[in-house]
Amino acid sequence: MSALVRGAIAGAIATWVMDLVTTGLQKAESKQVAAREAAARVNGKSAVGNLVDRIEAVSGAKLNASQRELSAQAIHYALGAVPGALYVSLRRRVPLIGLGGGLAYGAALFLINDEWLNTRLGLSGPPQAYPAETHFRGLVGHVVLGAATDSIADLLGA
């Protein structure tokens, strides 16, 4: 099995681990924080939900609720698997990529995806619209994702 495949598997599993952590943090947040976060969302949806809408509009497909949920989950896990594959294939060949056993990778994903790209693509509101707790949860979740991707890749022999 190639490093790319092992990295994709590690990234997908790490996405599940990240979800456990971020769900726990989200449950601990106040109703006021949840309301502020909901108000900041574009179209009242997550970035992935807005991406599903955009794909549906561009493709002309009409998804029912079940298909939308499945599509959102597939995209969510692909957003862990694809970068995971790239990370694992490069972490030992390119200086600094594997820094901190995946911690720097996770933090970089957070900054690039959550803080910049989602806003740039219009999938989420601007970073300043969200409460600090949202950013903290995202950073912690992605750092966990990075460390988990690195550790799981090691377990898979990548």
Side-chain angles (χ1 to χ4, degrees):
M1 186 180 336
S2 75
L4 280 173
V5 171
R6 289 178 182 158
I9 292 167
I13 295 169
T15 300
W16 176 76
V17 173
M18 176 185 74
D19 287 348
L20 293 175
V21 171
T22 56
T23 298
L25 290 171
Q26 192 168 31
K27 286 180 181 178
E29 291 174 352
S30 71
K31 289 182 181 181
Q32 293 83 5
V33 167
R36 286 181 53 212
E37 182 175 333
R41 289 180 163 194
V42 173
N43 302 320
K45 297 180 181 181
S46 69
V48 171
N50 284 314
L51 184 55
V52 170
D53 286 350
R54 187 161 305 157
I55 292 169
E56 189 176 23
V58 168
S59 71
K62 295 293 179 197
L63 303 177
N64 64 36
S66 176
Q67 292 168 326
R68 288 185 63 73
E69 179 59 30
L70 182 61
S71 297
Q73 286 298 315
I75 290 168
H76 178 64
Y77 278 90
L79 289 171
V82 172
L86 295 173
Y87 168 74
V88 169
S89 69
L90 297 174
R91 70 183 174 150
R92 292 195 172 103
R93 291 188 278 162
V94 179
L96 301 177
I97 293 212
L99 188 67
L103 298 177
Y105 159 69
L109 275 183
F110 166 72
L111 292 172
I112 293 166
N113 189 50
D114 284 19
E115 297 293 299
W116 180 74
L117 189 59
N118 284 339
T119 300
R120 181 105 170 133
L121 295 175
L123 302 174
S124 67
Q128 64 272 21
Y130 292 87
E133 293 87 347
T134 302
H135 300 285
F136 174 76
R137 185 180 71 241
L139 177 60
V140 169
H142 282 86
V143 168
V144 166
L145 174 108
T149 300
D150 193 80
S151 297
I152 294 164
D154 285 345
L155 289 172
L156 295 173

